[in-house]
């Protein structure tokens, strides 16, 4: 028997029937009914598609194992109200709400088609066929019967049951037997079952590595975009000293590129490089283009880190003799323009190659050149490029004006920047938010206070947001100029127009301490402590401590020192000597605390963040671990939550690892428990004891970090892990009177709390949701009769209490 083989002398249907094992007797539906069904399904298709569909459907009627044994229904697939489920699925397809403003953070825009399909399978030699004996060639009758039974039974069971059934056959099965079962599963398109059988075979003492079978499995897993399973077999092939086929390399890269999960682009690049360096293969043009496009369409802060990889792909395309498309040149210039250090010679070389190839520079290329000029302050090149841009198009992007303003600002010509700003209104009719931000920043750095104030008034009257970056620029300018009264006025104006911000408070606090108004400074510090989305930090505490020491308020200085010890804040070196003199009478030693331990509240919040998608990175010996939190820059909820987490876990934060979309903790052995429970093998799992840890605070942080409120008020919680793990969570919630619906989408599960269940969930987590986020996350369809009820889900504290030592 051969996989994907077809007899040339037999019709497809007869061949398929003859290849079935003799003990298995499929149920044959009435032919008239089957054909009628096929006709109704394909009536709207073109003729050649109808023929293919007819053959495919006929195959399915005779070969699907579910016709013999319907699969058992798990908790995740119970029948439910169809309208609710469809509504739930509909919301899963939507995007997260966006409370942020426009940014120059868009991916490169491709207008051209990249030639062949991303899955360029027709040009590659597909995976080899696997030769196995026919069932009737097996020596014993009982062996044939058992193998036939396994072929029928295994596809209808869950993974755990499949393993139990296979374990019961250990006494008599051999590699030849299980290879037959695995191939049979692949033949009937039960690839998951075939993979489980193969994994079970690998653990047996008689297993001998079969390159052909492994290659076939890897290719099928890759075709289904199951990149983790494909990669597992791929690595196994390499570990046995063999080189995977070109098709396996190709399909694994495509599988990674088809996923939007973080880290998949890194893996795709690594496999691409190994395909060339280890395998000695020359990738197809479609693969070069697909990888290049994936790099350029990633978010800007992510894609700019792949410059070397993009250059390598470009080099491979050139050396392979492929014709370089204009979008490849444009994208490479775009990537170079976003680097912190601009390589002007490389940009000039790329533009020269475009000219030699007869490719006209597009608007995107000219804007990229302007961006590079703005970082270098190259006025001459910027003006040349600007003239080309004016000649090539009438619709100049607003961001191009911003880059031109920045070029002049780098050379100290802020009045010319102001002229460019005024030109925006004339040419475009309105001024963008980023243009307002840039010109106010330029004027504030030039200390042109009157001009900056005038533009700020126009900015406020325009109704555009956010205003906060410009308020910060103004306040920093006033602080430098010693204009405390205007700084104070701007501070209160920012509170009226914007959400409270810690940076604004710190600037005002520093100004109050500087003029010696400690009474008001204490009041502002208390306000910061009472505001959940602001809070105090090391900078604010050091500022007030400096004021107390300069004002000889030593008792208050001791109190703030105690608070800093409690919060484990770092004390600035120049304050330590003064503190030592103050505290010498008490024989206290001024030091920065080094003992780190999470409180009960911090532990519960951490579990919720782990469920929501927090990642743990461990060293090679798994002795030290660090937490990595990724945030959506376009989410207002994530912006507030990030600030709150930085404040709550201040002593654990690694300042070098903080970015706009990410914060990282220090590497510490204390996180070992969480790594063992949630990331045991470097991959996320749901712990077996998760049902004991689902306290209201845990659920609240899960909702804030990895949850989503739909437009109709339903609540969705995203989680990664196994189906069994999700089942445990669903059962725990159902035990507490919260009915859920679950939908799998890509590598994630979405747990939906629909209708009244979202209300009960909200009543449960409401006390632990940050105050400034409640209006964003609260379900909007709470009816009057439900508001009057006081019943909430019964989360018994004894059942949900979280204990790090509870690992049994």
């Amino acid at each position: 028997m051969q996989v994907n083989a077809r007899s040339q002398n037999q019709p497809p249907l007869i061949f398929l029937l003859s290849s079935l094992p003799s003990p298995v007797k499929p149920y044959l539906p009435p032919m008239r009914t089957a054909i009628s069904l096929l006709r109704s399904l394909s009536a709207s298709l073109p003729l050649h598609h109808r023929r293919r569909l007819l053959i495919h459907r006929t195959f399915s009627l005779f070969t699907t194992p579910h016709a013999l044994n319907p699969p058992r229904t798990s908790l995740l697939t119970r029948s439910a109200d169809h309208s609710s489920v469809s509504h739930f699925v509909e919301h899963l397809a939507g995007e997260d709400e966006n409370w942020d403003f426009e940014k120059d953070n868009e991916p490169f825009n491709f207008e051209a088609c990249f030639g062949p399909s991303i899955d360029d399978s027709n040009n590659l030699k597909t995976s080899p066929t696997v030769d196995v004996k026919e069932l009737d060639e097996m020596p014993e009758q009982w062996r044939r019967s058992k193998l036939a039974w396994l072929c029928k039974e295994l596809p209808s069971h869950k993974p755990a049951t499949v393993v139990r059934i296979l374990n019961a056959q250990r006494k008599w099965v051999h590699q030849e037997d299980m290879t037959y079962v695995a191939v049979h599963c692949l033949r009937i398109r039960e690839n998951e079952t075939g993979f489980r059988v193969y994994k079970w075979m690998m653990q047996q003492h008689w297993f001998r590595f079969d390159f052909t079978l492994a290659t076939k499995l890897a290719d099928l897993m890759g075709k289904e975009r199951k990149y983790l399973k494909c990669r597992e077999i791929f690595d196994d092939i390499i570990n046995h000293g063999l080189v995977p086929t070109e098709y396996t390399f190709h399909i694994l890269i495509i599988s990674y590129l088809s996923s939007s999960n973080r880290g998949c682009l890194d893996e795709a690049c690594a496999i691409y490089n190994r395909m060339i360096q280890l395998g000695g293969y020359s990738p197809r043009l479609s693969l070069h283009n697909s990888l290049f496009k994936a790099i350029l369409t990633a978010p800007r802060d992510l894609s700019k880190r792949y410059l070397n990889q993009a250059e390598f792909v470009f080099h491979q395309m050139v050396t392979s003799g492929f014709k370089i498309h204009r979008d490849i040149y444009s994208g490479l210039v775009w990537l170079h323009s976003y680097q912190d250090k601009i390589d002007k010679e490389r940009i000039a070389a790329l533009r020269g190659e475009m000219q030699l190839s007869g490719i006209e520079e597009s608007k995107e290329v000219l804007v990229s050149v302007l961006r590079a000029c703005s970082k270098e302050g190259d006025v001459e090149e910027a003006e040349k490029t600007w003239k080309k841009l004016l000649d090539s198009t009438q619709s100049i992007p607003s961001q191009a004006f911003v880059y031109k303003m920045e070029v002049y600002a780098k050379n100290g010509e802020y009045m010319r920047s102001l002229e460019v700003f005024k030109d925006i209104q004339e040419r475009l009719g309105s001024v963008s938010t980023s243009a307002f931000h840039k010109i106010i920043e330029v004027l504030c750095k030039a200390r042109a206070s009157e001009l900056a104030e005038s533009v700020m008034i126009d900015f406020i009257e325009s109704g555009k947001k956010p205003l906060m970056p410009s308020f910060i620029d103004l306040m920093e300018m006033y602080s430098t100029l010693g204009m405390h009264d205007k700084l104070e006025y701007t501070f209160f104006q920012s509170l009226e127009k914007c959400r409270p911000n810690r940076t604004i408070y710190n600037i005002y606090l520093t100004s109050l301490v500087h003029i010696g108004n400690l009474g008001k400074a204490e009041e502002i510090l208390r306000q910061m402590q009472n505001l959940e989305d602001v809070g105090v930090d090391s900078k604010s505490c050091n500022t007030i401590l400096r004021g107390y020491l300069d004002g000889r308020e030593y008792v208050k200085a001791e109190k703030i020192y105690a608070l800093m010890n409690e919060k484990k804040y770092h004390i600035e070196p120049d304050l330590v000597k003064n503190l030592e003199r103050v505290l010498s009478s008490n024989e206290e030693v001024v030091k920065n605390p080094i003992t780190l331990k999470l409180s009960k509240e911090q532990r519960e919040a951490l579990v919720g963040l782990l469920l929501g998608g927090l990642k743990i990175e461990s060293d090679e010996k798994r002795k030290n671990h660090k937490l990595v939190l990724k945030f959506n820059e376009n989410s207002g909820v994530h912006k507030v939550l990030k600030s709150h987490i930085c404040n709550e876990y201040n002593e654990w934060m690694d300042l070098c690892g903080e970015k706009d979309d990410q914060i990282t903790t220090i590497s510490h052995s204390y996180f070992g428990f969480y790594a063992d429970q949630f990331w045991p093998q470097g991959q996320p799992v749901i712990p077996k004891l998760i049902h004991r840890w689902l306290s209201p605070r845990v659920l609240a942080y899960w909702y804030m970090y990895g949850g989503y409120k739909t437009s109709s008020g339903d609540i969705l919680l995203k989680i990664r892990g196994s189906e069994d793990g999700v089942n445990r969570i669903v059962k725990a919630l159902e035990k507490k009177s919260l009915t859920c619906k679950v939908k799998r989408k890509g590598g994630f599960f979405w747990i939906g709390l629909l209708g009244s269940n979202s209300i009960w969930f909200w009543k449960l987590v409401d006390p632990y949701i940050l105050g400034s986020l409640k209006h964003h996350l609260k379900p909007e369809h709470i009816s009057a009769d439900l508001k009057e009820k006081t019943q909430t889900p019964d989360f018994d504290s004894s059942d949900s209490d979280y204990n790090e030592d509870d690992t049994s």
Side-chain angles (χ1 to χ4, degrees):
M1 175 179 62
Q2 289 188 336
V3 177
N4 292 336
R6 175 175 291 181
S7 173
Q8 297 180 353
N9 300 321
Q10 292 177 305
L13 184 58
I14 299 175
F15 168 74
L16 187 63
L17 287 173
S18 66
S19 65
L20 282 171
S22 54
V24 182
K25 295 182 178 179
Y27 165 72
L28 301 180
M31 186 60 66
R32 181 175 300 176
T33 305
I35 293 176
S36 299
L37 176 62
L38 293 171
R39 286 174 178 169
S40 64
L41 288 172
S42 58
S44 60
L45 296 175
L47 181 58
H48 64 284
H49 285 305
R50 295 184 199 174
R51 291 173 179 169
R52 291 181 182 177
L53 181 61
L54 178 60
I55 295 172
H56 174 70
R57 295 282 182 180
T58 309
F59 277 5
S60 301
L61 289 171
F62 287 93
T63 59
T64 175
H66 301 300
L68 303 173
N69 270 331
R72 298 181 182 178
T73 304
S74 69
L75 190 73
L76 301 181
T77 55
R78 288 180 183 170
S79 58
D81 177 45
H82 294 294
S83 60
S84 299
V85 174
S86 61
H87 194 54
F88 174 38
V89 175
E90 191 176 298
H91 285 307
L92 289 178
E95 298 180 355
D96 292 344
E97 293 184 44
N98 181 5
W99 295 292
D100 205 0
F101 68 105
E102 58 175 302
K103 281 188 174 181
D104 180 30
N105 196 26
E106 297 181 358
F108 184 83
N109 181 28
F110 285 92
E111 296 180 358
C113 173
F114 266 79
S117 169
I118 186 172
D119 193 358
D120 194 12
S121 309
N122 295 329
N123 297 329
L124 289 171
K125 183 179 179 181
T126 56
S127 52
T129 56
V130 185
D131 293 326
V132 294
K133 287 184 178 181
E134 294 288 352
L135 189 62
D136 56 9
E137 295 176 7
M138 298 295 178
E140 303 97 346
Q141 173 61 35
W142 64 269
R143 185 181 297 274
R144 293 197 295 270
S145 299
K146 284 195 171 186
L147 287 177
W149 177 80
L150 284 174
C151 291
K152 172 186 175 183
E153 193 70 18
L154 291 180
S156 62
H157 289 287
K158 294 181 181 179
T161 308
V162 169
V163 173
R164 284 197 296 269
I165 292 174
L166 292 174
N167 285 339
Q169 320 303 319
R170 279 179 176 170
K171 292 182 180 180
W172 66 272
V173 296
H174 299 294
Q175 173 128 353
E176 189 178 51
D177 302 323
M178 298 317 298
T179 301
Y180 175 84
V181 175
V183 170
H184 174 80
C185 292
L186 301 183
R187 183 167 54 108
I188 62 174
R189 297 185 181 88
E190 288 290 345
N191 299 329
E192 277 285 342
T193 306
F195 177 80
R196 295 183 198 117
V197 172
Y198 178 76
K199 288 285 292 179
W200 183 84
M201 290 170 60
M202 293 175 61
Q203 300 169 10
Q204 309 311 308
H205 64 88
W206 40 256
F207 177 74
R208 300 183 309 278
F209 182 74
D210 186 336
F211 175 79
T212 306
L213 179 59
T215 300
K216 188 68 181 179
L217 266 171
D219 295 349
L220 289 173
M221 291 295 105
K223 279 185 176 180
E224 294 182 355
R225 304 300 183 249
K226 295 174 181 176
Y227 55 85
L228 291 178
K229 290 175 178 165
C230 180
R231 179 63 181 274
E232 188 175 349
I233 305 175
F234 175 89
D235 289 340
D236 195 37
I237 293 173
I238 293 178
N239 291 338
H240 280 85
L242 302 171
V243 178
T245 65
E246 181 182 359
Y247 184 81
T248 304
F249 273 106
H250 182 100
I251 202 67
L252 179 56
I253 295 169
I254 296 305
S255 182
Y256 273 120
L257 293 180
S258 66
S259 172
S260 59
N261 292 342
R262 290 184 181 272
C264 284
L265 182 54
D266 287 324
E267 295 297 333
C269 292
I271 298 298
Y272 172 88
N273 297 343
R274 292 173 78 178
M275 181 179 185
I276 296 168
Q277 296 162 0
L278 173 65
Y281 300 117
S282 178
R284 298 300 193 264
L285 176 60
S286 64
L287 188 61
H288 291 303
N289 285 335
S290 298
L291 183 58
F292 204 93
K293 183 175 181 180
I295 290 173
L296 297 180
T297 53
R300 173 177 58 84
D301 290 341
L302 180 65
S303 64
K304 75 176 187 179
R305 300 199 292 266
Y306 292 96
L307 175 62
N308 291 337
Q309 182 66 47
E311 286 281 11
F312 181 67
V313 176
F314 178 81
H315 173 73
Q316 291 299 317
M317 296 175 74
V318 172
T319 55
S320 298
F322 293 123
K323 183 179 179 180
I324 310 300
H325 194 277
R326 60 178 291 179
D327 278 351
I328 299 293
Y329 282 116
S330 302
L332 207 48
V333 173
W334 181 85
L335 272 177
H336 273 284
S337 71
Y338 269 116
Q339 302 305 306
D340 296 329
K341 186 176 180 181
I342 301 298
D343 188 346
K344 294 193 292 185
E345 293 181 0
R346 180 58 180 155
I347 293 177
L350 288 170
R351 296 176 72 186
E353 289 181 29
M354 291 177 68
Q355 188 175 5
L356 289 174
S357 301
I359 300 175
E360 185 178 352
E361 290 183 330
S362 64
K363 178 172 63 177
E364 288 75 16
V365 172
L366 295 175
V367 172
S368 296
V369 173
L370 269 179
R371 186 186 299 112
C373 292
S374 70
K375 293 184 177 182
E376 293 289 305
D378 190 343
V379 175
E380 182 179 353
E381 183 63 34
E383 290 181 341
K384 288 181 183 177
T385 306
W386 183 261
K387 187 176 184 304
K388 287 183 180 179
L389 192 61
L390 289 176
D391 294 338
S392 64
T393 179
Q394 296 296 322
S395 58
I396 301 177
S398 62
Q399 203 61 33
F401 289 93
V402 175
Y403 297 141
K404 192 178 180 185
M405 283 191 284
E406 196 169 357
V407 170
Y408 291 134
K410 282 278 176 71
N411 289 272
E413 302 180 61
Y414 70 90
M415 289 305 295
R416 294 188 71 180
S417 297
L418 186 60
E419 291 175 6
V420 175
F421 175 78
K422 292 177 180 178
D423 193 35
I424 298 176
Q425 182 71 35
E426 296 177 6
R427 289 182 179 273
L428 303 182
S430 64
V431 181
S432 66
T433 300
S434 57
F436 272 117
H437 285 167
K438 178 54 65 176
I439 191 59
I440 292 173
E441 177 191 339
V442 168
L443 294 173
C444 286
K445 285 182 178 178
R447 299 182 183 180
S449 58
E450 293 183 1
L451 288 174
E453 290 166 3
S454 175
V455 175
M456 189 65 190
I457 292 172
D458 294 339
F459 189 14
I460 294 172
E461 291 177 352
S462 71
K464 297 182 181 295
K465 292 183 179 181
L467 302 168
M468 185 59 69
S470 296
F471 277 126
I472 291 173
D473 288 333
L474 284 172
M475 290 180 66
E476 287 179 340
M477 177 186 67
Y478 292 140
S479 177
T480 303
L481 296 174
M483 304 169 69
H484 175 75
D485 291 342
K486 288 194 173 183
L487 186 150
E488 187 173 51
Y489 172 77
T490 305
F491 169 75
F492 287 111
Q493 190 179 27
S494 72
L495 294 184
E496 292 178 7
K497 305 290 184 182
C498 310
R499 197 167 52 214
N501 178 278
R502 185 187 294 169
T503 303
I504 285 283
Y505 269 94
N506 275 334
I507 296 172
Y508 183 47
L509 181 67
T510 302
S511 180
L512 290 171
V513 170
H514 182 71
I515 64 173
N517 192 343
L518 293 181
K520 205 162 191 177
E522 289 175 352
E523 182 183 342
I524 291 299
L525 191 71
R526 282 194 294 270
Q527 285 185 27
M528 294 175 70
Q529 289 176 305
N530 294 332
L531 292 170
E532 289 181 345
D533 51 348
V534 177
V536 296
D537 60 357
S538 177
K539 182 177 181 180
S540 52
C541 287
N542 276 287
T543 299
I544 198 70
L545 178 61
R546 186 183 302 278
Y548 287 145
L549 291 174
D550 291 345
R552 301 181 181 277
E553 297 278 357
Y554 297 136
V555 175
K556 292 181 178 180
E558 290 183 30
K559 290 181 179 179
I560 200 69
Y561 169 67
L563 174 64
M564 295 178 76
N565 267 337
E566 180 185 345
K567 294 283 188 180
K568 302 178 179 63
Y569 290 150
H570 177 76
I571 300 173
E572 294 177 3
D574 61 326
L575 298 178
V576 172
K577 292 182 179 180
N578 292 336
L579 264 178
E580 285 176 346
R581 288 195 297 270
V582 172
L583 301 176
S584 58
S585 59
N586 297 332
E587 298 183 356
E588 291 189 37
V589 179
V590 179
K591 59 182 180 180
N592 287 306
I594 58 174
T595 303
L596 296 175
K597 190 174 182 180
L598 293 174
S599 65
K600 180 178 182 293
E601 291 76 15
Q602 287 176 318
R603 294 198 304 268
E604 288 189 347
L606 180 54
V607 173
L609 296 172
L610 282 162
L611 292 174
L614 181 150
K615 182 180 179 181
I616 298 182
E617 295 182 355
S618 307
D619 59 19
E620 292 182 0
K621 297 181 179 179
R622 289 189 64 82
K623 288 186 177 181
N624 291 307
H625 318 269
K626 65 180 178 181
L627 311 181
V628 180
L629 292 96
K630 301 283 187 178
F631 295 92
N632 181 0
E633 294 182 76
N634 297 323
S635 169
V637 172
H638 271 204
K639 280 184 176 295
V640 175
L641 184 62
K642 179 186 174 185
S643 175
H644 171 75
I645 291 172
C646 287
N647 182 51
E648 288 298 308
Y649 296 88
N650 177 79
E651 66 274 20
W652 298 91
M653 290 294 112
D654 179 8
L655 299 180
C656 297
E658 184 171 351
K659 303 174 184 176
D660 291 340
D661 64 340
Q662 174 182 308
I663 55 176
T664 306
T665 67
I666 58 175
S667 187
H668 203 281
S669 59
Y670 186 85
F671 298 125
F673 170 80
Y674 303 97
D676 293 340
Q677 292 291 319
F678 290 90
W679 287 79
Q681 303 295 331
Q683 294 294 331
V685 301
I686 301 173
K688 291 183 179 179
L689 297 179
I690 190 61
H691 59 283
R692 298 188 184 180
W693 305 338
L694 292 178
S695 68
R697 182 179 276 106
V698 168
L699 294 172
Y701 277 84
W702 182 9
Y703 180 28
M704 287 188 287
Y705 186 53
Y708 170 55
K709 184 192 74 173
T710 68
S711 57
S712 61
D714 298 326
I715 291 174
L716 310 180
L717 300 174
K718 182 171 68 173
I719 189 169
R720 290 180 65 180
S722 65
E723 182 175 326
D724 290 339
V726 176
N727 273 333
R728 283 193 291 272
I729 293 178
V730 171
K731 286 178 180 177
L733 294 176
E734 287 186 344
K735 185 179 177 183
K736 311 303 180 183
S737 303
L738 288 171
T739 303
C740 311
K741 298 186 185 301
V742 179
K743 174 70 177 178
R744 185 165 195 164
K745 186 181 180 185
F748 295 92
F749 288 95
W750 287 87
I751 298 177
L753 295 134
L754 314 181
S756 61
N757 288 290
S758 66
I759 298 170
W760 302 131
F761 179 83
W762 176 257
K763 286 178 177 291
L764 180 70
V765 302
D766 182 24
Y768 305 98
I769 299 291
L770 300 181
S772 57
L773 297 183
K774 290 188 177 183
H775 67 288
H776 289 306
L777 299 176
K778 183 178 181 180
E780 300 171 354
H781 61 322
I782 299 180
S783 59
D785 57 333
L786 288 173
K787 285 182 180 179
E788 294 174 0
K789 295 182 181 180
T790 58
Q791 177 189 359
T792 57
D794 179 20
F795 270 74
D796 188 356
S797 59
S798 62
D799 185 44
S800 61
D801 191 23
Y802 172 68
N803 184 359
E804 289 178 74
D805 300 324
D806 192 4
T807 59
S808 58

